[in-house]
Amino acid sequence: MVSGTGRRVFGGLVHALVLMAFSVLLAFPFYWMLITIFKRTNDLYNLQNNPFKFNEKPTLEHLQLLFHDTLYLRWVANTAFVGAIVVLITLVLAVPAAYALARLTGRWGERLGIAIFLTYLVPPTLLFIPLSRLVAILGLQDSLWSLIVVYPSFTVPFSIWLLMGFFKSIPRELEDAAMVDGLTRFGAFVKLVVPISVSGILTVVIFSFTLVTQEFVYALTFISSEAHQMVGVGVPIFLVRGDVYYWGSLMAACLITSLPIALLYNLFLDRFIAGFTVGAVK
Amino acid sequence: MAIVETRKLTKVFKQGQPGAVNHVDLETREGEFLVFLGPSGSGKTTLLRMIAGLETPTSGEILIGGNVVNHLPPRERRIAMVFQSYALYPHLTVYQNIVFPLKAQKVKKELHKQKVEWASALLGIGRLLDRKPRELSGGERQRVALARAIVREPSVFLLDEPLSNLDAKLRASAREELEQFQKRVGTTTIYVTHDQVEAMAMGDRVVVLNQGTVRQIGTPQEVYDQPADTFVATFLGSPPMNLLETDDLIVGFRPERFLPSGLVAGSGSTDEIASRMKTEHLLLADVGKRVPLRFRVEYIEYLGAERILYGALEGGRFPGKAVASRIPSGVTERYEANSVHDFIVPESELKFFDRASEKRVAPKAIPWQ
């Protein structure tokens, strides 16, 4: 009895310690960004100072620089705009394609699915040269639309592949039942398959959006003017001048951009995991 | 209510390979409970799915209520189907599941609540309407699937092994319930199963299928007592019919008709027989001519209500042929492995099949020595 209680206390302790270690590890970047935003430049560069706390009074000068002297908000808006449209295009193309590949075409469907996934593996660093030619032919240089046209080339294949797994896990009998119950195949798809696959579709939305915010090579090569930058390119270009790093403003840009996505992930964490582990059980 | 008819119905999945369903002709009767019985791969589910409109026939016709429905999608065939997995919509509540076909068929909204209540009351699931399918037990799920099937009052019910996901005890009660339910609503029902007990217990008639062809259609009694061929003879009954091959014939007899000679009327004085049995009725009344066989018992299965003896014939015309015998528990006689006994089969119980075609033929006299 005593040893049992002892073991339980010990187990609880280990549990708490492990959790604490991971929390510290994961929260540290956010703490580092936050404290850097409000530190005075002298404080940041003085090697004698304790880097983990404020050695001088906090300041808002870095935030002022970010919001007044750069087009940061414009870049965020550009990114949100491109992200939203790319997500939309991805859903419109990937959901029906994945369903068709999962259900209607048998053995060749699977091979085609793998082939489509392989295109996702071709790196943008190889593709940006021929694609920049295409962008020029389309007359989309220095326009956000160039990115909207190019980004689905990697969000769509990945999403198709992800959703195929999802649709395959839905028993065919469910659709048969819906068709006997009075729906067409398309009706069964809209009223049954889509609602059941909500977590997969949500995963596609979050994942495509994250890919868009992270992408660097295309955004760097296709966009030139300051007003048209995506946040991931605009921030390093305009806040790193020569060998001068505007650390406080850089950290502010990073924190403000990453927080919404981090919150979104947390909010849908369970469904997100379901999206990636589908087919693992059962 | 309607009659379902198939004419030369055939389904070939892969060109050049034998069809899953071959030239099936059958016709249900009004309000009948018709069972498709066969081993797995016999084409019974494919046949059902063609009637439902979920598979396209390669050739042949399907008629429901006298109209050819080949070109109609499932939703226009006025059928309802219950699937092996029940196929309940996992994201909807029980109420939403049951109302689903009404919405899909654009039944007037005012009628929805009333019809769902009628269907759920009929199956005793009124208190489950707010639950999700994953919160239900197997038996409850099966009832919800049935409620969803009857709610739109279809002209034909199609049931695809609806009891096979239930445990043995629940299956027996669900079987009885389902049967009574069908009698009450009186809708023509086609029921697919591989379980001969289900088929015998529930079917008004049984269609025995093998390799995509109909082997026999008849009442449970007909398919059991007058099997059309050796497949039907051995598929029904447990253990299956004993078969003995001669030059051009196959002779069969059921294990429950292969009995110790001492326990059959006419083989001793009535008193003697009665004294050897606990229950005081004879296994077989005076059966007329009988065929004596020597039976070496090899092992014994004790099943409570009966014992099953497995072994082989000794001497005679069929030495070494494996046969089985079912002895009811009333018989107290002891049997041990490797003992030899005198058994008999009443001649009237012998079935004869042609050896080449395996079809049943008229009884013939054959030499037993």
Side-chain angles (χ1 to χ4, degrees), chain A residues 173-174 176 178 180-182 184, chain B residues 49 75 83 85 87-89 152:
Chain A
E173 284 198 342
L174 277 184
D176 290 343
V180 171
D181 280 349
T184 57
Chain B
R49 288 174 61 86
R75 64 180 184 282
F83 294 84
S85 65
L88 299 180
Y89 309 130
R152 85 200 96 147

Side-chain angles (χ1 to χ4, degrees), chain A residues 24-273:
Chain A
V24 168
L25 195 71
L26 296 176
F28 183 74
F30 287 94
Y31 167 75
W32 196 251
M33 285 193 273
L34 195 67
I35 195 169
T36 309
I37 293 169
F38 299 105
K39 272 189 181 179
R40 288 174 187 277
T41 312
N42 285 335
D43 190 357
L44 280 170
Y45 283 107
N46 191 338
L47 294 178
Q48 259 64 56
N49 285 348
N50 178 352
F52 296 102
K53 60 171 191 135
F54 288 109
N55 298 288
E56 296 177 28
K57 269 171 66 181
T59 174
L60 291 175
E61 62 184 17
H62 303 307
L63 284 173
Q64 263 160 10
L65 174 76
L66 182 67
F67 286 108
H68 288 142
D69 300 344
T70 71
L71 293 174
Y72 174 69
L73 285 179
R74 180 66 187 272
W75 302 334
V76 171
N78 286 345
T79 307
F81 172 73
V82 171
I85 297 196
V86 169
V87 164
L88 211 68
I89 293 175
T90 306
L91 286 182
V92 166
L93 292 179
V95 173
Y99 178 70
L101 285 171
R103 275 294 143 78
L104 302 173
T105 42
R107 203 150 45 100
W108 281 102
E110 194 157 324
R111 288 179 194 168
L112 201 58
I114 292 170
I116 286 173
F117 183 66
L118 285 180
T119 66
Y120 172 75
L121 301 178
V122 181
T125 38
L126 274 183
L127 285 175
F128 82 95
I129 298 170
L131 280 177
S132 65
R133 222 24 231 152
L134 283 178
V135 166
I137 292 169
L138 292 171
L140 294 175
Q141 310 95 312
D142 194 25
S143 157
L144 290 175
W145 288 99
S146 64
L147 301 180
I148 291 171
V149 170
V150 168
Y151 283 170
S153 70
F154 57 84
T155 58
V156 169
F158 181 81
S159 305
I160 287 180
W161 180 77
L162 191 104
L163 286 172
M164 264 174 80
F166 231 91
F167 292 149
K168 275 186 189 161
S169 74
I170 299 175
R172 253 168 220 254
E173 284 198 342
L174 277 184
E175 285 156 69
D176 290 343
M179 286 198 283
V180 171
D181 280 349
L183 296 179
T184 57
R185 182 174 277 282
F186 183 72
F189 172 65
V190 172
K191 291 209 176 129
L192 201 68
V193 176
V194 170
I196 292 175
S197 321
V198 149
S199 36
I201 290 170
L202 217 60
T203 308
V204 163
V205 169
I206 296 177
F207 200 76
S208 302
F209 194 84
T210 317
L211 280 179
V212 167
T213 56
Q214 282 175 351
E215 205 286 325
F216 190 80
V217 175
Y218 295 141
L220 181 69
T221 44
F222 298 160
I223 306 289
S224 43
S225 65
E226 188 178 356
H228 293 163
Q229 291 300 342
M230 297 284 278
V231 72
V233 176
V235 167
I237 287 183
F238 292 96
L239 291 173
V240 182
R241 297 183 188 158
D243 57 353
V244 183
Y245 287 72
Y246 291 84
W247 281 120
S249 310
L250 278 170
M251 290 302 179
C254 289
L255 188 66
I256 296 167
T257 317
S258 55
L259 270 183
I261 292 179
L263 287 178
L264 205 65
Y265 266 83
N266 269 306
L267 207 60
F268 297 111
L269 188 63
D270 294 344
R271 297 198 151 195
F272 199 65
I273 290 170

Side-chain angles (χ1 to χ4, degrees), chain B residues 238-282:
Chain B
S238 169
M241 185 180 276
N242 297 311
L243 294 179
L244 305 173
E245 293 181 12
T246 70
D247 301 336
D248 56 347
L249 282 176
I250 298 172
V251 183
F253 52 91
R254 295 258 173 224
E256 64 270 27
R257 298 285 183 254
F258 180 49
L259 292 165
S261 64
L263 296 177
V264 179
S267 36
S269 76
T270 320
D271 288 348
E272 185 190 342
I273 295 159
S275 72
R276 292 172 74 173
M277 293 180 59
K278 260 186 182 165
T279 55
E280 301 212 333
H281 60 85
L282 299 173

